[in-house]
Amino acid sequence: MSQTVPPFAELLARCRRSAIHLETRDVYGVPEEDEDFAAWREGWEYDLYDRSSWWNGFHDSVADAVSRGVTVRRARVVSEPATEYIRYEHSCTPQNLAAGEEVRWLPRRLASDLLIPGNDLWLFDNDLIRFGLFSGDGAFIEHTLCDDPDVIKNVSEAFEAIWKRALPHDRYTV
Protein backbone atom coordinates (compact mmCIF):
# COMPACT_ATOMS: atom_id res chain seq x y z
CA MET A 1 0.00 0.00 0.00
CA SER A 2 1.36 3.41 -1.00
CA GLN A 3 2.05 5.83 1.83
CA THR A 4 2.23 9.61 1.62
CA VAL A 5 5.11 10.86 3.73
CA PRO A 6 5.03 14.58 4.57
CA PRO A 7 8.19 16.59 3.90
CA PHE A 8 10.80 16.68 6.67
CA ALA A 9 10.17 20.38 7.36
CA GLU A 10 6.49 19.69 7.98
CA LEU A 11 7.21 16.79 10.34
CA LEU A 12 9.74 18.85 12.30
CA ALA A 13 7.35 21.83 12.42
CA ARG A 14 4.82 19.59 14.21
CA CYS A 15 7.42 18.63 16.82
CA ARG A 16 7.04 19.98 20.34
CA ARG A 17 9.71 18.18 22.39
CA SER A 18 12.35 16.19 20.52
CA ALA A 19 13.59 14.99 17.18
CA ILE A 20 16.30 12.37 16.88
CA HIS A 21 18.11 11.33 13.74
CA LEU A 22 20.07 8.11 13.36
CA GLU A 23 22.47 7.66 10.44
CA THR A 24 24.17 4.31 9.97
CA ARG A 25 25.48 4.32 6.40
CA ASP A 26 29.04 5.04 5.30
CA VAL A 27 27.99 6.29 1.86
CA TYR A 28 25.00 8.29 0.70
CA GLY A 29 24.21 9.01 -2.94
CA VAL A 30 22.30 12.25 -2.50
CA PRO A 31 22.09 14.13 -5.84
CA GLU A 32 21.43 17.45 -4.06
CA GLU A 33 24.91 17.16 -2.52
CA ASP A 34 26.81 16.14 -5.65
CA GLU A 35 28.07 19.63 -6.47
CA ASP A 36 29.18 20.44 -2.91
CA PHE A 37 30.76 17.00 -2.49
CA ALA A 38 32.71 17.44 -5.73
CA ALA A 39 33.87 20.91 -4.64
CA TRP A 40 34.91 19.53 -1.24
CA ARG A 41 36.93 16.81 -3.02
CA GLU A 42 38.77 19.60 -4.85
CA GLY A 43 39.66 21.28 -1.54
CA TRP A 44 36.80 23.74 -1.13
CA GLU A 45 35.70 24.36 2.46
CA TYR A 46 32.62 26.05 3.87
CA ASP A 47 33.08 29.42 5.51
CA LEU A 48 31.02 28.92 8.64
CA TYR A 49 30.85 32.68 9.13
CA ASP A 50 29.33 33.24 5.67
CA ARG A 51 25.93 31.68 6.32
CA SER A 52 24.55 32.94 3.03
CA SER A 53 26.88 30.49 1.25
CA TRP A 54 25.52 27.37 2.96
CA TRP A 55 22.42 28.03 5.07
CA ASN A 56 19.36 26.39 3.55
CA GLY A 57 15.80 25.27 4.30
CA PHE A 58 16.96 22.33 6.39
CA HIS A 59 18.91 24.67 8.67
CA ASP A 60 15.87 26.99 8.90
CA SER A 61 13.66 24.07 9.96
CA VAL A 62 16.10 22.93 12.64
CA ALA A 63 16.74 26.45 13.94
CA ASP A 64 12.99 27.13 14.11
CA ALA A 65 12.40 23.89 16.03
CA VAL A 66 15.23 24.58 18.46
CA SER A 67 13.91 28.11 19.04
CA ARG A 68 10.55 26.52 20.04
CA GLY A 69 12.35 24.38 22.61
CA VAL A 70 12.66 21.19 20.56
CA THR A 71 15.83 19.21 21.22
CA VAL A 72 17.32 17.99 17.93
CA ARG A 73 19.95 15.26 18.18
CA ARG A 74 21.78 13.32 15.46
CA ALA A 75 23.90 10.21 16.00
CA ARG A 76 26.09 8.76 13.28
CA VAL A 77 27.38 5.20 13.46
CA VAL A 78 30.44 5.05 11.20
CA SER A 79 33.08 2.61 10.05
CA GLU A 80 36.76 3.41 10.48
CA PRO A 81 38.77 4.38 8.69
CA ALA A 82 36.05 6.76 7.56
CA THR A 83 34.89 6.75 3.98
CA GLU A 84 35.41 9.83 1.86
CA TYR A 85 31.73 10.64 2.21
CA ILE A 86 31.87 10.47 6.02
CA ARG A 87 34.90 12.79 5.99
CA TYR A 88 32.82 15.19 3.89
CA GLU A 89 29.88 14.91 6.32
CA HIS A 90 32.22 15.56 9.24
CA SER A 91 33.49 18.72 7.57
CA CYS A 92 29.89 19.97 7.11
CA THR A 93 28.68 19.13 10.62
CA PRO A 94 29.49 22.58 12.06
CA GLN A 95 26.55 23.78 9.93
CA ASN A 96 24.23 21.39 11.79
CA LEU A 97 25.63 22.63 15.08
CA ALA A 98 25.11 26.26 14.04
CA ALA A 99 21.45 25.47 13.37
CA GLY A 100 21.14 24.07 16.90
CA GLU A 101 21.52 20.32 16.42
CA GLU A 102 23.56 18.23 18.80
CA VAL A 103 25.68 15.72 16.86
CA ARG A 104 27.58 12.67 18.07
CA TRP A 105 29.65 10.01 16.32
CA LEU A 106 29.97 6.34 17.24
CA PRO A 107 32.67 4.25 15.63
CA ARG A 108 31.02 1.02 14.45
CA ARG A 109 33.73 -1.02 16.23
CA LEU A 110 32.31 0.27 19.55
CA ALA A 111 28.74 -0.70 18.66
CA SER A 112 29.00 -4.48 18.37
CA ASP A 113 26.98 -5.11 21.51
CA LEU A 114 24.27 -2.57 20.64
CA LEU A 115 21.04 -3.26 18.79
CA ILE A 116 20.90 -0.80 15.91
CA PRO A 117 17.85 -0.25 13.68
CA GLY A 118 18.32 -1.55 10.14
CA ASN A 119 17.52 1.78 8.49
CA ASP A 120 18.29 5.43 9.04
CA LEU A 121 15.49 7.31 10.73
CA TRP A 122 14.05 10.37 12.33
CA LEU A 123 11.91 9.94 15.46
CA PHE A 124 9.63 12.90 16.17
CA ASP A 125 8.34 13.50 19.72
CA ASN A 126 8.76 9.81 20.44
CA ASP A 127 5.55 9.03 18.54
CA LEU A 128 6.32 8.97 14.79
CA ILE A 129 9.27 7.49 12.92
CA ARG A 130 10.28 8.43 9.40
CA PHE A 131 12.54 5.67 8.08
CA GLY A 132 14.90 6.48 5.22
CA LEU A 133 15.46 3.53 2.88
CA PHE A 134 18.60 3.44 0.73
CA SER A 135 20.07 1.05 -1.82
CA GLY A 136 23.37 -0.72 -1.26
CA ASP A 137 25.29 2.03 -3.05
CA GLY A 138 23.62 4.75 -0.97
CA ALA A 139 20.96 5.91 -3.43
CA PHE A 140 17.78 7.09 -1.75
CA ILE A 141 14.80 4.79 -2.34
CA GLU A 142 11.95 6.11 -0.21
CA HIS A 143 10.72 7.28 3.18
CA THR A 144 8.20 5.30 5.20
CA LEU A 145 6.33 6.22 8.37
CA CYS A 146 5.78 4.11 11.47
CA ASP A 147 3.73 4.90 14.57
CA ASP A 148 3.78 1.41 16.10
CA PRO A 149 4.45 1.92 19.84
CA ASP A 150 6.63 -1.22 20.08
CA VAL A 151 8.84 -0.14 17.18
CA ILE A 152 9.07 3.38 18.61
CA LYS A 153 10.11 2.00 21.99
CA ASN A 154 12.80 -0.20 20.41
CA VAL A 155 14.11 2.62 18.21
CA SER A 156 14.15 5.08 21.10
CA GLU A 157 16.04 2.69 23.38
CA ALA A 158 18.53 1.87 20.62
CA PHE A 159 19.15 5.55 19.92
CA GLU A 160 19.69 6.36 23.60
CA ALA A 161 22.24 3.53 23.93
CA ILE A 162 24.08 4.83 20.85
CA TRP A 163 23.90 8.43 22.08
CA LYS A 164 25.27 7.53 25.49
CA ARG A 165 28.32 5.86 23.96
CA ALA A 166 28.93 8.22 21.03
CA LEU A 167 31.42 11.09 21.04
CA PRO A 168 30.34 14.71 20.65
CA HIS A 169 31.35 16.18 17.29
CA ASP A 170 34.15 18.31 18.77
CA ARG A 171 35.75 15.17 20.27
CA TYR A 172 35.56 12.97 17.17
CA THR A 173 38.09 13.22 14.38
CA VAL A 174 38.07 11.45 11.03
Side-chain angles (χ1 to χ4, degrees):
M1 179 176 184
S2 179
Q3 183 181 43
T4 302
V5 178
F8 168 78
E10 185 178 318
L11 293 169
L12 189 58
R14 296 178 191 171
C15 242
R16 297 294 166 243
R17 297 177 310 281
S18 67
I20 60 174
H21 188 190
L22 179 62
E23 294 180 315
T24 62
R25 300 189 52 82
D26 290 317
V27 175
Y28 291 89
V30 183
E32 301 84 50
E33 294 179 347
D34 286 351
E35 190 176 317
D36 287 347
F37 186 39
W40 175 84
R41 281 177 157 163
E42 297 296 320
W44 180 77
E45 294 181 18
Y46 288 98
D47 178 355
L48 195 57
Y49 299 102
D50 180 13
R51 282 191 176 193
S52 65
S53 70
W54 57 265
W55 193 270
N56 59 41
F58 171 81
H59 300 109
D60 283 334
S61 295
V62 170
D64 289 347
V66 170
S67 73
R68 293 191 319 271
V70 176
T71 300
V72 181
R73 297 182 295 160
R74 177 187 307 249
R76 292 180 170 138
V77 180
V78 296
S79 299
E80 294 177 320
T83 63
E84 183 179 41
Y85 185 85
I86 293 300
R87 292 193 311 274
Y88 163 71
E89 270 195 334
H90 191 271
S91 75
C92 299
T93 298
Q95 298 167 351
N96 300 73
L97 301 173
E101 266 190 79
E102 299 173 50
V103 180
R104 292 189 182 182
W105 301 79
L106 181 62
R108 197 172 310 280
R109 65 184 164 75
L110 300 178
S112 296
D113 61 331
L114 299 178
L115 300 178
I116 298 174
N119 292 297
D120 287 9
L121 61 94
W122 279 91
L123 173 56
F124 301 98
D125 282 338
N126 221 30
D127 61 20
L128 181 66
I129 301 170
R130 183 185 83 160
F131 286 108
L133 308 180
F134 294 86
S135 69
D137 64 1
F140 173 75
I141 297 173
E142 68 178 333
H143 289 119
T144 62
L145 296 177
C146 176
D147 61 1
D148 180 305
D150 292 331
V151 176
I152 289 170
K153 178 181 180 293
N154 291 339
V155 163
S156 179
E157 288 174 357
F159 183 88
E160 294 306 325
I162 292 165
W163 187 259
K164 182 177 178 180
R165 192 171 294 180
L167 297 169
H169 176 74
D170 63 351
R171 292 187 35 220
Y172 183 74
T173 56
V174 293

